[in-house]
Amino acid sequence: MAKKRYKIDLSGGRAFVLPYRLLVRPEFRSLSPKAVKVLLVLGTAYHGRNNGNLACTETTMDDNGGMDRKTIATALKELVEAGLVIKTREPRKGSDTARCALYALAWAVIDECPSSDLDINPGPARLTLS
């Protein structure tokens, strides 16, 4: 008997993949709904060559249903502590030097993002799903 193949019609679009082995991890299953939402928003910004250059700000959240600054910060802290997201650049305040924090999905390779001035080096995924 032939193996059943499941097909997903992406209609020529991108896909954000959450591996099954990630979904069954206790770290993922214990996430709050706000952390899951923030993870999905980070995933919508990921296009396969920009892991490490993902931002989650009030502006990006406004385009995705909204969330206040404190809730975003709490959700990001939860994701970082769970080891599912890595902070790749610290934020900086100031009129001339302001910049937002950047993040990477921990189960994907961190890409080289030369114009983003990342605080960590690009390289292999930090979270193994085996």
Side-chain angles (χ1 to χ4, degrees), residues 31-44:
L31 291 176
S32 67
K34 65 186 173 196
V36 173
K37 183 173 183 176
V38 166
L39 181 63
L40 293 176
V41 169
L42 289 172
T44 62

Side-chain angles (χ1 to χ4, degrees), residues 3-99:
K3 269 190 168 181
K4 190 173 190 178
R5 298 192 97 185
Y6 296 94
K7 295 182 181 181
I8 299 172
D9 180 14
L10 299 176
S11 300
R14 297 188 322 220
F16 171 54
V17 177
L18 292 173
Y20 177 79
R21 289 183 181 208
L22 173 71
L23 298 174
V24 298
R25 291 178 71 99
E27 300 93 331
F28 182 84
R29 290 181 173 228
S30 65
L31 291 176
S32 67
K34 65 186 173 196
V36 173
K37 183 173 183 176
V38 166
L39 181 63
L40 293 176
V41 169
L42 289 172
T44 62
Y46 179 56
H47 60 62
R49 295 176 310 281
N50 65 332
N51 196 32
N53 193 19
L54 307 174
C56 187
T57 63
E58 281 183 279
T59 305
T60 58
M61 289 306 296
D62 283 344
D63 296 338
N64 292 283
M67 195 178 277
D68 66 52
R69 180 179 298 147
K70 185 176 178 181
T71 306
I72 295 167
T74 303
L76 286 167
K77 181 180 178 189
E78 183 180 345
L79 289 166
V80 169
E81 287 175 355
L84 302 177
V85 168
I86 301 160
K87 187 183 262 189
T88 58
R89 184 178 81 181
E90 291 293 328
R92 188 171 29 200
K93 294 182 180 181
S95 58
D96 295 340
T97 61
R99 66 183 193 179

